[in-house]
Amino acid sequence: MTKRILVFAAMLIASLLLVALAAWGTGALWFQLPAADIVRKLALAAWLVLGVAALVCLWRRSYAAPAVWLVLLLALMAWWSTIKPSHDRVWADDVARMVTGKVDGGVVTLDLVRNFDWRSDTDYTVRWEPRQYDLNQLRSVDVAMSYWMGPAIAHTLVSFGFSDGRYLTFSIEIRKERGESFDGLAGFFKKYETVLIAADERDILRVRTNVRDEDMWLYRLKMPPEMMRSLFLAYLDEGEQLKATPRFYNTLTGNCTTIIYQMARRITPGLPLNWRLLASGYLDRYLYDLGALQGQGGFDALRQNAHITARARAADKDIDFSERIRH
């Protein structure tokens, strides 16, 4: 009886592994096979039929079909390893440049800060500007959460405030090719590279609330000055790394929230892992539970005060956009 149970357990584990790898292969072929749609569909159908045949034969203790499927899987993995990220593509205008900076004492010079004037998602004035910031004047760090696909998913941006009233926002994003749009499932299959954008708030926050009709919350973090400075410099380091070595975006492990967490954990090693880092729409509750949010009252009061969508839409192109969304 014990032997039968062990055999059944082994067969079940092998079956689950086969199904998982077959599902991965399906996504890899669909999103990355460089062929016409009809060819991809035929390849996909053949892969799925062989996968089902391998699963059935496995339970019948016939191993020819599973062996053939395994050989094809290894070939698929070998092909997959040849797909590399690149900086050399025809990029969409808003992610065509990648920020880097130089630090001289406490002064940071950024080469490419985005400051687009958005009239619609396809009608805008392109502006990339060099800017200087004095880290000795760094006074605040805010986290913006922009909801575009239900309550569990939000895009996370981090905005640094300076004593002269300026704000600079960093955003980890997919580097879309021209005419391309985001697909969460495709993000698991090397479909997009990663880019770091530094931008003026009137560009990068306003385009989400006023042009793309996203819903946004903005929270002030409790953070000592030395930690603010370390986080700012961590973004510059991330930009240098991305510029030197292109990297694929991953919907689960390498997205706008998890990369921020990885940078923050280098500054605060004890920062705990939590499922809300993956379900990024609940990141604010995670930060609240850590005691990282400034403000009075409980979480519901903080969240209500942090809701800036209406204020952003009212401020629109106002020169005091950053001040108005905070008051």
Side-chain angles (χ1 to χ4, degrees):
M1 182 63 71
T2 302
K3 184 178 179 180
R4 287 183 179 180
I5 292 173
L6 290 174
V7 170
F8 177 80
M11 294 289 286
L12 184 60
I13 292 170
S15 299
L16 292 174
L17 186 60
L18 190 153
V19 169
L21 289 170
W24 170 81
T26 299
L29 289 169
W30 179 251
F31 289 111
Q32 288 293 350
L33 189 64
D37 275 358
I38 185 63
V39 175
R40 281 192 296 134
K41 289 176 181 177
L42 288 172
L44 205 61
W47 172 256
L48 290 172
V49 167
L50 185 56
V52 171
L55 185 61
V56 171
C57 291
L58 183 66
W59 283 93
R60 292 181 175 178
R61 308 295 177 85
S62 174
Y63 301 113
V68 172
W69 181 86
L70 182 59
V71 170
L72 288 177
L73 175 67
L74 293 174
L76 187 63
M77 288 179 168
W79 162 72
W80 183 256
S81 69
T82 67
I83 302 173
K84 304 294 184 183
S86 172
H87 285 321
D88 187 20
R89 307 191 196 279
V90 182
W91 304 114
D93 289 334
D94 58 327
V95 291
R97 309 290 183 90
M98 189 179 299
V99 67
T100 54
K102 295 180 180 178
V103 183
D104 184 9
V107 177
V108 175
T109 303
L110 302 180
D111 53 356
L112 295 165
V113 175
R114 203 180 79 190
N115 188 22
F116 282 26
D117 180 13
W118 296 89
R119 292 171 291 276
S120 75
D121 218 9
T122 55
D123 181 17
Y124 45 80
T125 301
V126 174
R127 286 197 297 257
W128 296 93
E129 304 170 349
R131 292 191 181 181
Q132 279 192 339
Y133 296 90
D134 186 348
L135 294 182
N136 295 316
Q137 296 182 13
L138 187 53
R139 294 292 181 266
S140 64
V141 178
D142 297 325
V143 170
M145 298 171 59
S146 191
Y147 291 77
W148 53 275
M149 194 178 71
I153 302 297
H155 181 69
T156 307
L157 310 93
V158 175
S159 194
F160 293 85
F162 294 82
S163 60
D164 60 5
R166 292 188 300 164
Y167 289 85
L168 179 74
T169 304
F170 286 105
S171 178
I172 300 285
E173 304 191 4
I174 64 165
R175 200 172 195 187
K176 306 184 301 289
E177 295 180 52
R178 191 165 295 169
E180 193 173 44
S181 58
F182 179 67
D183 180 326
L185 187 59
F188 287 100
F189 295 98
K190 296 185 178 182
K191 188 64 175 176
Y192 314 107
E193 278 83 1
T194 301
V195 65
L196 173 65
I197 299 296
D200 191 284
E201 285 190 338
R202 271 197 307 168
D203 169 342
I204 204 163
L205 300 189
R206 178 180 166 272
V207 70
R208 293 181 175 276
T209 55
N210 296 30
V211 175
R212 298 173 185 167
D213 291 325
E214 298 180 13
D215 210 6
M216 185 174 290
W217 278 255
L218 185 69
Y219 297 92
R220 178 64 49 89
L221 296 182
K222 293 178 183 177
M223 191 174 285
E226 63 273 13
M227 191 174 291
M228 295 181 194
R229 182 186 179 113
S230 294
L231 184 58
F232 192 102
L233 294 175
Y235 269 107
L236 296 188
D237 184 57
E238 183 73 13
E240 291 288 352
Q241 290 181 37
L242 283 171
K243 194 166 186 176
T245 307
R247 185 192 314 154
F248 281 120
Y249 177 94
N250 186 282
T251 300
L252 185 64
T253 61
N255 59 48
C256 62
T257 304
T258 57
I259 292 174
I260 295 171
Y261 169 77
Q262 291 161 12
M263 290 190 293
R265 196 168 188 181
R266 290 198 291 270
I267 300 168
T268 309
L271 203 60
L273 277 169
N274 191 277
W275 64 271
R276 289 168 292 192
L277 295 166
L278 303 179
S280 54
Y282 306 111
L283 177 67
D284 49 1
R285 184 74 206 204
Y286 168 75
L287 293 171
Y288 175 78
D289 290 344
L290 288 177
L293 299 183
Q294 282 193 30
Q296 301 297 318
F299 176 73
D300 290 341
L302 287 175
R303 184 166 171 81
Q304 182 177 351
N305 291 333
H307 192 209
I308 66 164
T309 306
R311 280 173 266 165
R313 290 173 182 167
D316 200 30
K317 295 185 180 183
D318 195 312
I319 191 70
D320 294 323
F321 177 88
S322 292
E323 182 180 351
R324 289 184 61 181
I325 63 175
R326 288 171 172 83
H327 295 88

